[in-house]
Amino acid sequence: MEIKKLLEKISQSLANNHLKNPNILILLEYIRDQLIENLRSKEDNELKKLNAEIINNKKTSERIINDGIFFETKFEYYEIESTKNELELNSNLLEIVIFGEKKFKIFDIKNKKKYMNYNVRPFYGIAMSNNTLFSSKIIKNSGILSINVDNISKNN
């Protein structure tokens, strides 16, 4: 499986989704479910090819436009550990771990002392809405697919 084929699956999910006027977060959840189901059904050799392509390219991005909504997809390889502290999202985001692990701490927007820990391992993902406050830690040698949706899109 190649990155290009996975991008085609994302486009197919957008074109074939049965949701009528979904909000963006629901649409990202739908894409997440479709992609994870697709990845889990692949043969080991296809997944090894995808992993190798992510590692070799380090970072691949592409914009997908569907029904006036702009989706920015990024495949990134993290050779070393990466930590981000208390960021506020300025767009809706879907992240799927292809290999490796990413740990999240998602904060209550009103009380930063309250938070939830969420560890994402291969073939799992998380969708977060804009204005979500979070910290994250990407374990070294991880491949992550991120899909950002611009806030200027309809049905934010």
Side-chain angles (χ1 to χ4, degrees), residues 8-62:
E8 288 171 7
K9 290 291 182 191
I10 294 169
S11 292
Q12 286 175 351
S13 291
L14 291 169
N16 296 335
N17 87 74
H18 61 280
L19 304 169
K20 301 292 182 207
N21 298 317
N23 88 15
I24 296 302
L25 201 54
I26 292 171
L27 183 56
L28 287 175
E29 291 281 356
Y30 177 79
I31 294 168
R32 182 193 67 168
D33 291 345
Q34 296 297 307
L35 287 177
I36 289 172
E37 182 179 313
N38 183 270
L39 286 167
R40 288 181 179 163
S41 70
K42 295 300 174 196
E43 299 285 330
D44 282 345
N45 61 343
E46 289 180 280
L47 294 173
K48 286 178 184 177
K49 286 180 187 176
L50 175 63
N51 293 355
E53 190 174 348
I54 292 169
I55 291 168
N56 291 335
N57 291 332
K58 303 284 187 221
K59 185 176 185 178
T60 304
S61 64
E62 186 171 315

Side-chain angles (χ1 to χ4, degrees), residues 123-141:
F123 310 136
Y124 288 92
I126 184 170
M128 296 184 285
S129 63
N130 61 340
N131 299 324
T132 298
L133 183 63
F134 74 100
S135 294
S136 67
K137 179 179 180 180
I138 301 172
I139 306 306
K140 68 180 182 175
N141 298 320

